DNA sequence: ATGAAAGCGCTAACAG
DNA sequence: CTGTTAGCGCTTTCAT
């Protein structure tokens, strides 16, 4: 910047002005300065700018993983929305480990983020402590809880699970295998599983935990089929696992929804095109990203602490569950055919 | 920091020391300072640190989108590897638009990134200009080209396409529908399509462009079936599109691989569990992320400009293409059954 | 409209 | 081992 000022024959103050408030500097002076900047290929120091303005225009997102579509969809949406507000996004993955989350949060504070997107409502005290000390606004996504200490922008995971359960019950299903990812450190899954147990009744459901992946779904279905007689339906806590369940069921010669129904939660773009198309509870990942980004941007920018936002979830009925018209007696005796319709 | 020094009754220099080189300061002094830091909840200013050290520990990734598994897998891997090197990752999406890419790159330079991951080898001059002026190292991923002006860490897209084509030809297929995403701004797709045209022979293949998504694959397959008689096989330039093709074929009552073969490129985690499991050319996304992250970290840290890295790709044969044993005459006359075996 | 000068919060010689 | 001091590169009064 000093070089530029010399090259243009003006003071550093003037150069700084054409950088920040070009309208206050005379036209020809500005032209000269801009030429100098161009010549010297000057790029202003981010650090120096930050130290004076107190602004870094950096936001951080702490998410379990990017390998799950639900999060990559959300993050993509957050990033795209943030552009319009002039922010850049640092992503950090936590693998649903609160310790790791706190560690990475610390690193993000150290590089100067002005705000955080956290996932869920289960965090370590170290993280809360950091947030308080560094005075950094933080939003929790993927969950809705108006009583949580941080503002939440998300959906009601319990409700989503209940919706799916109610649908299965409506269809007359009674014996249900619930397939879900690791409970450890994952409050969203916990909430869904708990809601399922309550809605279905503990004696009507069997729980199978496996990694959140297609392969995990395959493994869970395999175990469910082996360990549980006369199942009516599968309820998966995430679509990717449902993909695996569908695959395994097909491999075993079981027909969906004729022999068993499969319902899920997420509604990923691919879920419309499975065999058969998947009945699933839609979770508005993209919309959530957008709303969360807007909230945090406003919070950081205008110091307006947002209030919790609850996004709508709803059942998308497709053909992996019986259509109401089909609920008439069948007389299958195969152990894996449903025993009640 | 001044507050801390006052609270601890030492100079700011000492406080700075316990922050950076704690071992050089006396045990009890250090304890006092640390207590003061704890009391006041002091967090050092990232900007001030950066202005002095000249380091931000920030790297930027410019990718088309996070909504495609191949990129989210890569980014996930990059982020995880970077942690070990003490870097944080800013992600910015470009939608394969060089202008947008250059704009975002500019923003990233303005927030102080020390290095870039770019996608592919097609970029705007503005971007190169920026890279030169800001003196920021940049790596190109998803592609291998040892002659490219920037170091590349990727795979040979032409070779990947050729591998898939060769497999289809080996199987005796002659009339092939090539399904691919938008060519505009996407050098990876261009390379694959071009290689396919050369390998297959222009008179043996038909090209169908659609969005890179399952729905896009469905649409492309629909058009291919309607517009082209007696197709032998589908070659998809990305697995997600193959998922859609498989779906549409099944919907039309066509059997894979009996009536038509389907081959693809990517080998996503889900591709093992389609119906039938997908024959596809494996692209090592995670490994690429890891290698790229290591290269860029080393470059930024030790000023060692890396040399291009070409990662291995290989065909993963599954059942969406005929097994060699099956290549015997069939006498179907349905217009969409293959005419030659 | 422009320049001079005082910091921003911290690090790094250099002195003691 | 610890304190003093001079910046780092820029923004921002306050004069002119």
């Amino acid at each position: 910047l000093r070089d530029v000022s010399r090259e243009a024959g003006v003071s550093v103050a003037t150069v700084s002005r054409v950088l920040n408030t070009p309208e206050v500097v005379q036209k020809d002076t500005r032209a000269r300065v801009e030429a100098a900047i161009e010549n010297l290929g000057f790029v202003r120091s981010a650090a120096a700018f930050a130290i004076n303005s107190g602004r870094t225009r950096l936001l951080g997102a702490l998410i379990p993983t990017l390998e799950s579509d639900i999060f990559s969809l959300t993050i993509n949406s957050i990033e795209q929305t943030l552009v319009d507000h002039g922010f850049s996004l640092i992503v950090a993955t936590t693998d649903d480990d609160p310790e790791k989350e706190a560690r990475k949060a610390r690193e993000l504070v150290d590089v100067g983020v002005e705000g955080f997107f956290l996932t869920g409502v289960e965090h370590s005290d170290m993280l809360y402590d950091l947030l308080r000390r560094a005075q950094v606004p933080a939003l929790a996504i993927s969950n809705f809880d108006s009583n949580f200490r941080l503002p939440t922008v998300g959906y009601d995971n319990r409700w989503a699970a209940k919706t799916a359960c109610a649908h299965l019950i409506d269809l007359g299903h009674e014996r249900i295998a619930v397939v879900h990812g690791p409970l450890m450190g994952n409050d969203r899954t916990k909430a869904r599983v708990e809601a399922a147990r309550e809605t279905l009744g503990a004696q009507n459901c069997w729980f199978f935990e496996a990694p959140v992946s297609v392969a995990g779904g395959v493994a869970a279905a395999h175990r469910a089929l082996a360990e549980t007689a006369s199942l009516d339906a599968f309820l998966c806590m995430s679509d990717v696992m449902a993909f695996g369940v569908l695959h395994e069921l097909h491999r075993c010669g079981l027909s969906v929804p004729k022999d068993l129904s499969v319902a899920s939660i997420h509604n990923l773009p691919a879920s419309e095109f499975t065999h058969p198309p998947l009945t699933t509870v839609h979770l508005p990942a993209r919309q959530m990203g957008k709303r969360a980004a807007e909230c945090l941007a406003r919070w950081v920018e205008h110091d307006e602490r947002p209030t919790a936002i609850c996004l709508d979830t709803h059942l998308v009925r497709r053909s992996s569950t019986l259509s109401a018209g089909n609920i008439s007696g069948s007389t299958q005796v195969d152990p894996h055919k449903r025993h009640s319709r």
Side-chain angles (χ1 to χ4, degrees), chain A:
Chain A
L1 190 140
R2 211 162 38 211
D3 298 346
V4 175
S5 74
R6 199 173 301 125
E7 169 95 4
V10 298
S11 74
V12 293
T14 304
V15 180
S16 176
R17 284 190 194 99
V18 345
L19 249 34
N20 302 301
T21 50
E23 60 280 5
V24 309
V25 34
Q26 206 146 0
K27 204 128 192 198
D28 53 332
T29 332
R30 191 200 320 178
R32 232 161 356 113
V33 173
E34 279 165 347
I37 289 180
E38 188 58 30
N39 283 341
L40 277 49
F42 167 84
V43 193
R44 79 124 88 54
S45 151
F49 176 81
I51 206 180
N52 287 292
S53 64
R55 304 287 320 262
T56 58
R57 313 229 59 117
L58 247 31
L59 260 28
L62 261 8
I63 51 163
T65 176
L66 234 25
E67 291 208 5
S68 176
D69 282 0
I70 194 78
F71 295 118
S72 46
L73 246 40
T74 307
I75 292 294
N76 198 260
S77 174
I78 288 180
E79 195 272 339
Q80 291 189 346
T81 309
L82 248 27
V83 181
D84 303 330
H85 296 262
F87 286 98
S88 291
L89 212 225
I90 304 183
V91 303
T93 60
T94 65
D95 294 318
D96 273 318
D97 175 352
E99 302 285 305
K100 203 168 184 175
E101 183 183 46
R103 249 189 340 265
K104 294 225 184 177
R106 174 74 215 198
E107 278 169 25
L108 295 200
V109 164
D110 283 345
V111 305
V113 298
E114 301 185 64
F116 279 110
F117 297 94
L118 305 181
T119 304
V121 294
E122 226 178 77
H123 308 283
S124 85
D125 286 338
M126 274 176 53
L127 176 58
Y128 291 126
D129 205 51
L130 179 70
L131 257 25
R132 191 176 40 69
R133 294 160 52 141
Q135 299 270 47
V136 180
L139 216 61
I141 62 171
S142 294
N143 224 318
F144 170 73
D145 181 350
S146 51
N147 295 317
F148 188 54
R149 57 198 294 177
L150 265 20
T152 57
V153 175
Y155 30 72
D156 185 335
N157 286 285
R158 291 182 52 85
W159 177 254
K162 278 187 185 172
T163 305
C165 290
H167 174 61
L168 257 18
I169 291 173
D170 274 358
L171 258 25
H173 300 325
E174 287 173 359
R175 297 172 60 83
I176 297 173
V178 178
V179 170
H180 61 85
L183 258 17
M184 176 77 95
N186 189 325
D187 47 16
R188 287 89 58 210
T189 299
K190 276 182 204 160
R192 292 177 201 171
V193 165
E194 205 175 274
R197 180 175 285 116
E198 289 169 18
T199 313
L200 262 18
Q203 71 284 11
N204 300 318
C205 49
W206 292 262
F207 295 85
F208 300 91
E209 179 172 323
V212 181
S213 64
V214 182
V218 168
H222 186 81
R223 273 170 26 226
L225 257 22
E227 300 169 13
T228 322
S230 36
L231 243 21
D232 290 335
F234 275 83
L235 169 57
C236 302
M237 292 323 189
S238 50
D239 279 8
V240 280
M241 299 192 82
F243 299 165
V245 168
L246 249 21
H247 178 85
E248 178 65 9
L249 258 26
H250 185 257
R251 199 187 63 78
C252 293
L254 261 11
S255 158
V256 174
K258 204 164 143 292
D259 300 326
L260 292 115
S261 283
V262 175
S264 183
I265 295 180
H266 269 182
N267 192 28
L268 298 180
S271 303
E272 185 181 346
F273 304 104
T274 50
H275 286 299
L278 191 62
T279 292
T280 181
V281 178
H282 179 76
L283 261 29
R286 293 196 186 91
Q287 198 199 340
M288 180 172 74
K290 187 165 184 294
R291 299 292 296 275
E294 289 166 348
C295 281
L296 190 53
R298 198 163 308 135
W299 191 0
V300 169
E301 206 81 78
H302 311 294
D303 205 48
E304 296 171 19
R305 191 180 202 269
T307 51
I309 292 178
C310 184
L311 299 168
D312 171 64
T313 65
H314 58 270
L315 184 74
V316 178
R317 294 198 51 168
R318 289 196 278 248
S319 34
S320 69
T321 49
L322 240 37
S323 71
N326 274 351
I327 309 184
S328 47
S330 89
T331 50
Q332 311 284 2
V333 285
D334 180 307
H336 281 122
K337 307 277 158 159
R338 60 167 58 80
H339 64 203
S340 72
R341 284 277 173 104

